[in-house]
PDB file of all heavy atoms in Angstrom:
ATOM      1  N   LYS A  50     -13.219   2.289   3.099  1.00  0.00           N
ATOM      2  CA  LYS A  50     -14.106   1.990   1.979  1.00  0.00           C
ATOM      3  C   LYS A  50     -14.766   0.645   2.169  1.00  0.00           C
ATOM      4  O   LYS A  50     -16.011   0.440   1.837  1.00  0.00           O
ATOM      5  CB  LYS A  50     -13.436   2.043   0.654  1.00  0.00           C
ATOM      6  CG  LYS A  50     -13.054   3.443   0.208  1.00  0.00           C
ATOM      7  CD  LYS A  50     -12.251   3.476  -1.108  1.00  0.00           C
ATOM      8  CE  LYS A  50     -11.785   4.824  -1.317  1.00  0.00           C
ATOM      9  NZ  LYS A  50     -10.750   4.879  -2.386  1.00  0.00           N
ATOM     10  N   ALA A  51     -14.003  -0.397   2.583  1.00  0.00           N
ATOM     11  CA  ALA A  51     -14.521  -1.670   2.809  1.00  0.00           C
ATOM     12  C   ALA A  51     -15.521  -1.695   3.963  1.00  0.00           C
ATOM     13  O   ALA A  51     -16.558  -2.325   3.872  1.00  0.00           O
ATOM     14  CB  ALA A  51     -13.433  -2.732   3.128  1.00  0.00           C
ATOM     15  N   ALA A  52     -15.218  -0.936   5.018  1.00  0.00           N
ATOM     16  CA  ALA A  52     -16.072  -0.826   6.145  1.00  0.00           C
ATOM     17  C   ALA A  52     -17.501  -0.216   5.755  1.00  0.00           C
ATOM     18  O   ALA A  52     -18.522  -0.617   6.177  1.00  0.00           O
ATOM     19  CB  ALA A  52     -15.449  -0.002   7.244  1.00  0.00           C
ATOM     20  N   ILE A  53     -17.428   0.810   4.869  1.00  0.00           N
ATOM     21  CA  ILE A  53     -18.613   1.470   4.439  1.00  0.00           C
ATOM     22  C   ILE A  53     -19.432   0.533   3.499  1.00  0.00           C
ATOM     23  O   ILE A  53     -20.678   0.380   3.618  1.00  0.00           O
ATOM     24  CB  ILE A  53     -18.294   2.813   3.687  1.00  0.00           C
ATOM     25  CG1 ILE A  53     -17.786   3.813   4.650  1.00  0.00           C
ATOM     26  CG2 ILE A  53     -19.551   3.358   2.989  1.00  0.00           C
ATOM     27  CD1 ILE A  53     -17.155   5.035   4.031  1.00  0.00           C
ATOM     28  N   ALA A  54     -18.758  -0.177   2.642  1.00  0.00           N
ATOM     29  CA  ALA A  54     -19.446  -1.119   1.698  1.00  0.00           C
ATOM     30  C   ALA A  54     -20.143  -2.257   2.596  1.00  0.00           C
ATOM     31  O   ALA A  54     -21.282  -2.589   2.305  1.00  0.00           O
ATOM     32  CB  ALA A  54     -18.404  -1.768   0.798  1.00  0.00           C
ATOM     33  N   ALA A  55     -19.411  -2.701   3.569  1.00  0.00           N
ATOM     34  CA  ALA A  55     -20.073  -3.775   4.457  1.00  0.00           C
ATOM     35  C   ALA A  55     -21.223  -3.198   5.154  1.00  0.00           C
ATOM     36  O   ALA A  55     -22.255  -3.873   5.358  1.00  0.00           O
ATOM     37  CB  ALA A  55     -18.994  -4.352   5.405  1.00  0.00           C
ATOM     38  N   ALA A  56     -21.109  -1.949   5.727  1.00  0.00           N
ATOM     39  CA  ALA A  56     -22.223  -1.341   6.459  1.00  0.00           C
ATOM     40  C   ALA A  56     -23.389  -1.122   5.583  1.00  0.00           C
ATOM     41  O   ALA A  56     -24.552  -1.252   6.009  1.00  0.00           O
ATOM     42  CB  ALA A  56     -21.739  -0.010   7.032  1.00  0.00           C
ATOM     43  N   ARG A  57     -23.142  -0.767   4.278  1.00  0.00           N
ATOM     44  CA  ARG A  57     -24.270  -0.626   3.324  1.00  0.00           C
ATOM     45  C   ARG A  57     -25.056  -1.893   3.126  1.00  0.00           C
ATOM     46  O   ARG A  57     -26.302  -1.924   3.082  1.00  0.00           O
ATOM     47  CB  ARG A  57     -23.787  -0.074   1.969  1.00  0.00           C
ATOM     48  CG  ARG A  57     -23.463   1.346   1.946  1.00  0.00           C
ATOM     49  CD  ARG A  57     -23.089   1.900   0.622  1.00  0.00           C
ATOM     50  NE  ARG A  57     -24.144   1.634  -0.346  1.00  0.00           N
ATOM     51  CZ  ARG A  57     -23.930   1.294  -1.632  1.00  0.00           C
ATOM     52  NH1 ARG A  57     -22.767   1.307  -2.103  1.00  0.00           N
ATOM     53  NH2 ARG A  57     -25.014   1.074  -2.394  1.00  0.00           N
ATOM     54  N   VAL A  58     -24.362  -3.011   3.058  1.00  0.00           N
ATOM     55  CA  VAL A  58     -25.008  -4.297   2.837  1.00  0.00           C
ATOM     56  C   VAL A  58     -25.801  -4.606   4.130  1.00  0.00           C
ATOM     57  O   VAL A  58     -27.010  -4.999   3.977  1.00  0.00           O
ATOM     58  CB  VAL A  58     -23.933  -5.397   2.639  1.00  0.00           C
ATOM     59  CG1 VAL A  58     -24.577  -6.818   2.664  1.00  0.00           C
ATOM     60  CG2 VAL A  58     -23.294  -5.224   1.260  1.00  0.00           C
ATOM     61  N   ARG A  59     -25.245  -4.445   5.312  1.00  0.00           N
ATOM     62  CA  ARG A  59     -26.020  -4.693   6.497  1.00  0.00           C
ATOM     63  C   ARG A  59     -27.228  -3.822   6.644  1.00  0.00           C
ATOM     64  O   ARG A  59     -28.289  -4.261   7.045  1.00  0.00           O
ATOM     65  CB  ARG A  59     -25.111  -4.610   7.682  1.00  0.00           C
ATOM     66  CG  ARG A  59     -24.030  -5.644   7.929  1.00  0.00           C
ATOM     67  CD  ARG A  59     -23.276  -5.561   9.249  1.00  0.00           C
ATOM     68  NE  ARG A  59     -22.784  -4.193   9.579  1.00  0.00           N
ATOM     69  CZ  ARG A  59     -21.601  -3.751   9.238  1.00  0.00           C
ATOM     70  NH1 ARG A  59     -20.750  -4.550   8.545  1.00  0.00           N
ATOM     71  NH2 ARG A  59     -21.209  -2.564   9.579  1.00  0.00           N
ATOM     72  N   ALA A  60     -27.035  -2.494   6.354  1.00  0.00           N
ATOM     73  CA  ALA A  60     -28.071  -1.590   6.509  1.00  0.00           C
ATOM     74  C   ALA A  60     -29.219  -1.836   5.526  1.00  0.00           C
ATOM     75  O   ALA A  60     -30.413  -1.727   5.898  1.00  0.00           O
ATOM     76  CB  ALA A  60     -27.545  -0.155   6.221  1.00  0.00           C
ATOM     77  N   GLU A 100     -26.366   1.804  10.717  1.00  0.00           N
ATOM     78  CA  GLU A 100     -25.148   1.115  10.717  1.00  0.00           C
ATOM     79  C   GLU A 100     -24.079   2.195  10.713  1.00  0.00           C
ATOM     80  O   GLU A 100     -23.917   2.995   9.810  1.00  0.00           O
ATOM     81  CB  GLU A 100     -25.012   0.278   9.456  1.00  0.00           C
ATOM     82  CG  GLU A 100     -25.839  -1.015   9.532  1.00  0.00           C
ATOM     83  CD  GLU A 100     -25.413  -1.966  10.467  1.00  0.00           C
ATOM     84  OE1 GLU A 100     -24.194  -2.061  10.888  1.00  0.00           O
ATOM     85  OE2 GLU A 100     -26.298  -2.717  10.964  1.00  0.00           O
TER      86      GLU A 100
END
Side-chain angles (χ1 to χ4, degrees):
K50 289 179 188 166
I53 292 167
R57 283 187 55 215
V58 170
R59 289 190 309 272
E100 285 293 331

